[in-house]
Amino acid sequence: MPVNTNDQGKLFTDIEVVQRIFAHIDNATTDLGTQSWKEPTDNYRSKARLMAELDILQSRSIVFCPSSALANIGDYVARDAANVPLIVVRGLDGVVRAFRNACRHRGVKLADGEGCARALVCPYHGWAYSLNGNLLGIPHEAGFPDVDKATRGLVAVACFESNGLIFINQNPQVSIEKGIEQDIVPIPKIIPDHYRLLNSASQIVNTNWKLYLESSLEGYHIRQTHKSTFFPVQYDNLTVVEAFGENSRVTFPYQSIEGLRHNKESDISVDGRLTYVYHLFPNVIISTFPGCIQVNVLEPIDEATTRQHTYLISAIGENDTPRLDAISQGQQFAAKGAIEDLQIVLSAQRGLASKANEFLEFGLFESAIVRLHAHLAKEIERASK
Ligand code: FES
Ligand SMILES: [Fe+2]
């Protein structure tokens, strides 16, 4: 069956996805793209190419983190996005704002990592900023007769909160006041209301960010890579692949989906029966797991190094120990599979050094990856004009 392509962010309903999966199980088929793709290996190795990709990342609206990572007033996340240090903070008025994370005195970062504060105070000399970026105070202010505090607030970056996600746009052409809401391609509601942050983590992986991303976007490797983890409970090479705008959704059914065969449509819940992997172009992956959702942002550091930020969110309350334990067991299982993927991707990274291939080949089962490369190529070409 061909890929469902829809530019309005309208994806199959859960029931339609389940029906499509049953058709694939019964016919031993899977969704197929319309073209294969040869991606030059230089595009994974070249510094110039990485710079062009970072320019794309810096010029468009991109998910920074889930809203639940900034649940309370004063909560902040300070980290690099597209190699630019940013701090995103929920203000006293409840509005989330983003700033370039550099003091207006001598450029030191105001914070690093995650925390909660009532003001952002520079660790070097103590210049203090309000949560909406205004420069509030300069210690021994008499030493700075030329500084006009009113014009030396933190430098804002466009920021927008929608459907449980926080988007940023570093493009200086984007008006902070007008915002970026209109720039965001309709994205289906992925995160249900009332989700909260269970935990967040970050890790450095020594691979190109696209090689790493690719491993989440196809089910053709399930049998071979995940022999004793996912393969016994999922299906090899059976995915539903949908496109919306430059984004994709790849559905990985679990064998437990058979339990829905004879359910009335009104009794169909896909929780615990499949994983939806949303690829939000270019560098964000949101995956659904039983009872929880993982938001992953892949930040390229250089051609062969990526920082992965992971946010695990759920609606399950903090006192519901049995269900939280079940989530943690499920996540341990998923982590085993993720380690298997990482080993393979590290090997593919070494494979680049072998110089055996002038290109990597992506077939009809790997159409979400083809879409990633096709759109990235198109965006880079557009930016170069
Ligand atoms: S660099 Fe921030 S107060 Fe001096
Ligand atoms: Fe995998």
Side-chain angles (χ1 to χ4, degrees):
M1 275 186 243
V3 168
N4 172 27
T5 305
N6 189 314
D7 287 338
Q8 297 311 309
K10 198 166 174 325
L11 297 169
F12 288 139
T13 63
D14 288 348
I15 291 167
E16 288 169 330
V17 168
V18 169
Q19 287 165 344
R20 203 168 170 95
I21 290 165
F22 286 148
H24 283 320
I25 293 172
D26 295 344
N27 299 309
T29 52
T30 187
D31 277 5
L32 296 176
T34 52
Q35 59 166 139
S36 46
W37 183 270
K38 292 179 173 19
E39 181 68 7
T41 37
D42 277 350
N43 285 354
Y44 298 86
R45 288 190 297 232
S46 133
K47 276 199 190 343
R49 169 69 183 211
L50 183 81
M51 290 302 139
E53 291 169 354
L54 287 170
D55 283 348
I56 299 300
L57 291 172
Q58 288 170 10
S59 68
R60 52 186 292 128
S61 298
I62 289 187
V63 171
F64 184 80
C65 65
S67 292
S68 50
L70 302 168
N72 302 306
I73 284 169
D75 282 354
Y76 64 79
V77 173
R79 65 165 175 81
D80 287 8
N83 266 352
V84 175
L86 298 183
I87 181 164
V88 179
V89 60
R90 192 174 294 280
L92 295 173
D93 53 1
V95 174
V96 176
R97 296 180 179 82
F99 304 100
R100 294 180 189 270
N101 188 3
C103 179
R104 301 304 306 283
H105 176 213
R106 283 162 55 190
V108 166
K109 282 200 271 192
L110 297 158
D112 212 0
E114 295 160 17
C116 185
R118 280 295 175 268
L120 303 172
V121 180
C122 179
Y124 202 175
H125 313 94
W127 286 29
Y129 303 85
S130 69
L131 300 183
N132 58 6
N134 295 333
L135 177 55
L136 295 176
I138 299 177
H140 305 290
E141 195 173 343
F144 294 91
D146 299 330
V147 171
D148 172 12
K149 290 219 291 292
T151 61
R152 292 290 280 276
L154 298 177
V155 177
V157 165
C159 182
F160 175 66
E161 186 170 18
S162 170
N163 278 337
L165 293 170
I166 291 164
F167 296 80
I168 49 142
N169 188 326
Q170 301 187 42
N171 188 340
Q173 311 296 326
V174 170
S175 147
I176 307 293
E177 289 72 36
K178 207 163 122 245
I180 53 177
E181 183 175 4
Q182 66 286 347
D183 300 336
I184 296 168
V185 171
I187 288 177
K189 188 168 169 64
I190 302 172
I191 298 177
D193 295 334
H194 310 303
Y195 263 50
R196 67 186 181 89
L197 184 70
L198 292 187
N199 57 59
S200 63
S202 75
Q203 65 165 344
I204 295 272
V205 287
N206 293 314
T207 79
N208 180 274
W209 69 282
K210 293 171 294 179
L211 274 187
Y212 194 45
L213 184 58
E214 288 162 0
S215 69
S216 298
L217 294 180
E218 46 88 1
Y220 173 49
H221 71 279
I222 297 286
R223 182 198 298 264
Q224 195 65 24
T225 303
H226 301 298
K227 277 186 196 72
S228 59
T229 51
F230 298 155
F231 178 57
V233 293
Q234 297 188 10
Y235 295 88
D236 186 45
N237 203 26
L238 196 169
T239 50
V240 174
V241 183
E242 299 167 83
F244 55 109
E246 294 174 308
N247 313 298
S248 301
R249 180 171 77 171
V250 184
T251 305
F252 296 80
Y254 311 161
Q255 290 171 22
S256 64
I257 202 159
E258 286 289 356
L260 299 178
R261 275 277 183 186
H262 306 294
N263 281 27
K264 289 199 296 258
E265 287 196 355
S266 54
D267 290 340
I268 286 184
S269 160
V270 296
D271 189 30
R273 311 279 187 175
L274 54 77
T275 281
Y276 285 132
V277 172
Y278 295 86
H279 172 222
L280 303 185
F281 179 83
N283 63 330
V284 177
I285 294 277
I286 302 182
S287 311
T288 67
F289 293 100
C292 62
I293 293 178
Q294 252 191 32
V295 178
N296 278 288
V297 183
L298 301 184
E299 291 292 351
I301 294 175
D302 62 31
E303 320 82 83
T305 318
T306 302
R307 186 182 284 275
Q308 175 186 19
H309 297 275
T310 303
Y311 302 89
L312 185 67
I313 59 177
S314 171
I316 294 172
E318 49 195 49
N319 297 323
D320 192 343
T321 313
R323 289 172 75 206
L324 289 175
D325 286 349
I327 285 188
S328 128
Q329 276 177 16
Q331 287 296 299
Q332 281 171 26
F333 176 66
K336 276 192 197 161
I339 290 169
E340 291 166 344
D341 284 325
L342 181 56
Q343 295 306 327
I344 288 289
V345 175
L346 290 170
S347 173
Q349 180 71 36
R350 290 303 300 154
L352 295 175
S354 77
K355 305 212 166 110
N357 294 308
E358 281 175 25
F359 55 84
L360 304 185
E361 180 89 38
F362 298 96
L364 302 183
F365 309 135
E366 299 162 305
S367 63
I369 304 174
V370 171
R371 190 166 310 107
L372 159 72
H373 291 305
H375 285 302
L376 203 47
K378 204 191 289 176
E379 295 285 344
I380 288 174
E381 195 189 325
R382 184 155 53 191
S384 71
K385 281 183 182 155

